[in-house]
PDB file of all heavy atoms in Angstrom:
ATOM      1  N   LEU A 216     -39.650  73.030   0.137  1.00 73.00           N
ATOM      2  CA  LEU A 216     -38.524  73.132   1.067  1.00 73.00           C
ATOM      3  C   LEU A 216     -38.779  74.203   2.111  1.00 73.00           C
ATOM      4  O   LEU A 216     -38.535  74.007   3.302  1.00 73.00           O
ATOM      5  CB  LEU A 216     -37.245  73.448   0.283  1.00 73.00           C
ATOM      6  CG  LEU A 216     -35.920  73.425   1.043  1.00 73.00           C
ATOM      7  CD1 LEU A 216     -35.658  72.047   1.621  1.00 73.00           C
ATOM      8  CD2 LEU A 216     -34.776  73.834   0.117  1.00 73.00           C
ATOM      9  N   ALA A 217     -39.285  75.347   1.671  1.00 68.00           N
ATOM     10  CA  ALA A 217     -39.504  76.461   2.588  1.00 68.00           C
ATOM     11  C   ALA A 217     -40.664  76.196   3.537  1.00 68.00           C
ATOM     12  O   ALA A 217     -40.655  76.656   4.684  1.00 68.00           O
ATOM     13  CB  ALA A 217     -39.755  77.739   1.795  1.00 68.00           C
ATOM     14  N   ALA A 218     -41.698  75.466   3.063  1.00 66.00           N
ATOM     15  CA  ALA A 218     -42.907  75.265   3.862  1.00 66.00           C
ATOM     16  C   ALA A 218     -42.804  74.086   4.818  1.00 66.00           C
ATOM     17  O   ALA A 218     -43.596  73.967   5.752  1.00 66.00           O
ATOM     18  CB  ALA A 218     -44.099  75.056   2.926  1.00 66.00           C
ATOM     19  N   HIS A 219     -41.861  73.205   4.572  1.00 62.00           N
ATOM     20  CA  HIS A 219     -41.785  71.979   5.375  1.00 62.00           C
ATOM     21  C   HIS A 219     -41.424  72.285   6.818  1.00 62.00           C
ATOM     22  O   HIS A 219     -40.644  73.177   7.104  1.00 62.00           O
ATOM     23  CB  HIS A 219     -40.752  71.024   4.774  1.00 62.00           C
ATOM     24  CG  HIS A 219     -41.170  69.589   4.875  1.00 62.00           C
ATOM     25  ND1 HIS A 219     -40.886  68.809   5.960  1.00 62.00           N
ATOM     26  CD2 HIS A 219     -41.857  68.795   4.012  1.00 62.00           C
ATOM     27  CE1 HIS A 219     -41.368  67.592   5.777  1.00 62.00           C
ATOM     28  NE2 HIS A 219     -41.965  67.554   4.594  1.00 62.00           N
ATOM     29  N   SER A 220     -41.953  71.514   7.744  1.00 46.00           N
ATOM     30  CA  SER A 220     -41.675  71.732   9.161  1.00 46.00           C
ATOM     31  C   SER A 220     -40.250  71.314   9.482  1.00 46.00           C
ATOM     32  O   SER A 220     -39.600  70.621   8.716  1.00 46.00           O
ATOM     33  CB  SER A 220     -42.662  70.941  10.024  1.00 46.00           C
ATOM     34  OG  SER A 220     -42.397  69.569   9.912  1.00 46.00           O
ATOM     35  N   PHE A 221     -39.814  71.669  10.679  1.00 49.00           N
ATOM     36  CA  PHE A 221     -38.447  71.375  11.106  1.00 49.00           C
ATOM     37  C   PHE A 221     -38.410  70.266  12.160  1.00 49.00           C
ATOM     38  O   PHE A 221     -37.486  70.171  12.947  1.00 49.00           O
ATOM     39  CB  PHE A 221     -37.784  72.637  11.681  1.00 49.00           C
ATOM     40  CG  PHE A 221     -37.370  73.588  10.614  1.00 49.00           C
ATOM     41  CD1 PHE A 221     -38.318  74.442  10.049  1.00 49.00           C
ATOM     42  CD2 PHE A 221     -36.086  73.635  10.157  1.00 49.00           C
ATOM     43  CE1 PHE A 221     -37.947  75.321   9.047  1.00 49.00           C
ATOM     44  CE2 PHE A 221     -35.707  74.514   9.156  1.00 49.00           C
ATOM     45  CZ  PHE A 221     -36.651  75.364   8.597  1.00 49.00           C
ATOM     46  N   LYS A 222     -39.402  69.439  12.133  1.00 48.00           N
ATOM     47  CA  LYS A 222     -39.456  68.320  13.076  1.00 48.00           C
ATOM     48  C   LYS A 222     -38.443  67.261  12.672  1.00 48.00           C
ATOM     49  O   LYS A 222     -38.379  66.878  11.512  1.00 48.00           O
ATOM     50  CB  LYS A 222     -40.849  67.731  13.057  1.00 48.00           C
ATOM     51  CG  LYS A 222     -41.060  66.547  13.989  1.00 48.00           C
ATOM     52  CD  LYS A 222     -42.487  66.054  13.845  1.00 48.00           C
ATOM     53  CE  LYS A 222     -42.711  64.812  14.677  1.00 48.00           C
ATOM     54  NZ  LYS A 222     -44.069  64.265  14.488  1.00 48.00           N
ATOM     55  N   ASN A 223     -37.627  66.808  13.593  1.00 47.00           N
ATOM     56  CA  ASN A 223     -36.670  65.742  13.294  1.00 47.00           C
ATOM     57  C   ASN A 223     -36.349  64.940  14.542  1.00 47.00           C
ATOM     58  O   ASN A 223     -36.848  65.228  15.621  1.00 47.00           O
ATOM     59  CB  ASN A 223     -35.386  66.306  12.674  1.00 47.00           C
ATOM     60  CG  ASN A 223     -34.710  67.324  13.559  1.00 47.00           C
ATOM     61  OD1 ASN A 223     -34.344  67.012  14.690  1.00 47.00           O
ATOM     62  ND2 ASN A 223     -34.575  68.553  13.071  1.00 47.00           N
ATOM     63  N   MET A 224     -35.502  63.977  14.406  1.00 49.00           N
ATOM     64  CA  MET A 224     -35.179  63.063  15.498  1.00 49.00           C
ATOM     65  C   MET A 224     -34.201  63.642  16.505  1.00 49.00           C
ATOM     66  O   MET A 224     -34.016  63.108  17.574  1.00 49.00           O
ATOM     67  CB  MET A 224     -34.579  61.754  14.947  1.00 49.00           C
ATOM     68  CG  MET A 224     -35.512  60.937  14.105  1.00 49.00           C
ATOM     69  SD  MET A 224     -34.695  59.447  13.498  1.00 49.00           S
ATOM     70  CE  MET A 224     -34.496  58.507  15.004  1.00 49.00           C
ATOM     71  N   GLY A 225     -33.501  64.691  16.149  1.00 57.00           N
ATOM     72  CA  GLY A 225     -32.474  65.223  17.030  1.00 57.00           C
ATOM     73  C   GLY A 225     -31.211  64.391  17.044  1.00 57.00           C
ATOM     74  O   GLY A 225     -30.403  64.492  17.957  1.00 57.00           O
ATOM     75  N   LEU A 226     -31.031  63.533  16.043  1.00 58.00           N
ATOM     76  CA  LEU A 226     -29.842  62.688  15.948  1.00 58.00           C
ATOM     77  C   LEU A 226     -28.945  63.198  14.832  1.00 58.00           C
ATOM     78  O   LEU A 226     -29.428  63.593  13.775  1.00 58.00           O
ATOM     79  CB  LEU A 226     -30.230  61.235  15.676  1.00 58.00           C
ATOM     80  CG  LEU A 226     -31.067  60.543  16.769  1.00 58.00           C
ATOM     81  CD1 LEU A 226     -31.464  59.155  16.310  1.00 58.00           C
ATOM     82  CD2 LEU A 226     -30.309  60.483  18.077  1.00 58.00           C
ATOM     83  N   SER A 227     -27.657  63.152  15.070  1.00 64.00           N
ATOM     84  CA  SER A 227     -26.713  63.702  14.086  1.00 64.00           C
ATOM     85  C   SER A 227     -26.357  62.707  12.991  1.00 64.00           C
ATOM     86  O   SER A 227     -25.646  63.052  12.060  1.00 64.00           O
ATOM     87  CB  SER A 227     -25.432  64.148  14.805  1.00 64.00           C
ATOM     88  OG  SER A 227     -24.808  63.049  15.435  1.00 64.00           O
ATOM     89  N   LEU A 228     -26.825  61.455  13.111  1.00 67.00           N
ATOM     90  CA  LEU A 228     -26.429  60.438  12.139  1.00 67.00           C
ATOM     91  C   LEU A 228     -27.376  60.340  10.950  1.00 67.00           C
ATOM     92  O   LEU A 228     -27.023  59.777   9.918  1.00 67.00           O
ATOM     93  CB  LEU A 228     -26.357  59.064  12.820  1.00 67.00           C
ATOM     94  CG  LEU A 228     -25.256  58.887  13.873  1.00 67.00           C
ATOM     95  CD1 LEU A 228     -25.353  57.511  14.505  1.00 67.00           C
ATOM     96  CD2 LEU A 228     -23.885  59.081  13.258  1.00 67.00           C
ATOM     97  N   VAL A 229     -28.609  60.870  11.092  1.00 65.00           N
ATOM     98  CA  VAL A 229     -29.584  60.706  10.020  1.00 65.00           C
ATOM     99  C   VAL A 229     -29.578  61.902   9.078  1.00 65.00           C
ATOM    100  O   VAL A 229     -29.129  62.987   9.426  1.00 65.00           O
ATOM    101  CB  VAL A 229     -31.013  60.524  10.588  1.00 65.00           C
ATOM    102  CG1 VAL A 229     -31.091  59.301  11.474  1.00 65.00           C
ATOM    103  CG2 VAL A 229     -31.463  61.775  11.344  1.00 65.00           C
ATOM    104  N   HIS A 230     -30.088  61.670   7.871  1.00 65.00           N
ATOM    105  CA  HIS A 230     -30.322  62.753   6.920  1.00 65.00           C
ATOM    106  C   HIS A 230     -31.793  63.114   6.985  1.00 65.00           C
ATOM    107  O   HIS A 230     -32.657  62.242   6.880  1.00 65.00           O
ATOM    108  CB  HIS A 230     -29.956  62.321   5.500  1.00 65.00           C
ATOM    109  CG  HIS A 230     -28.490  62.223   5.278  1.00 65.00           C
ATOM    110  ND1 HIS A 230     -27.804  61.036   5.409  1.00 65.00           N
ATOM    111  CD2 HIS A 230     -27.571  63.172   4.945  1.00 65.00           C
ATOM    112  CE1 HIS A 230     -26.522  61.247   5.153  1.00 65.00           C
ATOM    113  NE2 HIS A 230     -26.363  62.519   4.876  1.00 65.00           N
ATOM    114  N   ASN A 231     -32.086  64.400   7.150  1.00 63.00           N
ATOM    115  CA  ASN A 231     -33.448  64.867   7.253  1.00 63.00           C
ATOM    116  C   ASN A 231     -33.701  65.907   6.183  1.00 63.00           C
ATOM    117  O   ASN A 231     -32.853  66.758   5.924  1.00 63.00           O
ATOM    118  CB  ASN A 231     -33.690  65.466   8.649  1.00 63.00           C
ATOM    119  CG  ASN A 231     -35.155  65.729   8.913  1.00 63.00           C
ATOM    120  OD1 ASN A 231     -35.734  66.661   8.371  1.00 63.00           O
ATOM    121  ND2 ASN A 231     -35.748  64.894   9.757  1.00 63.00           N
TER     122      ASN A 231
END
Side-chain angles (χ1 to χ4, degrees):
L216 187 61
H219 217 272
S220 70
F221 284 81
K222 180 181 176 184
N223 58 59
M224 295 179 69
L226 297 176
S227 61
L228 293 177
V229 300
H230 287 95
N231 191 286

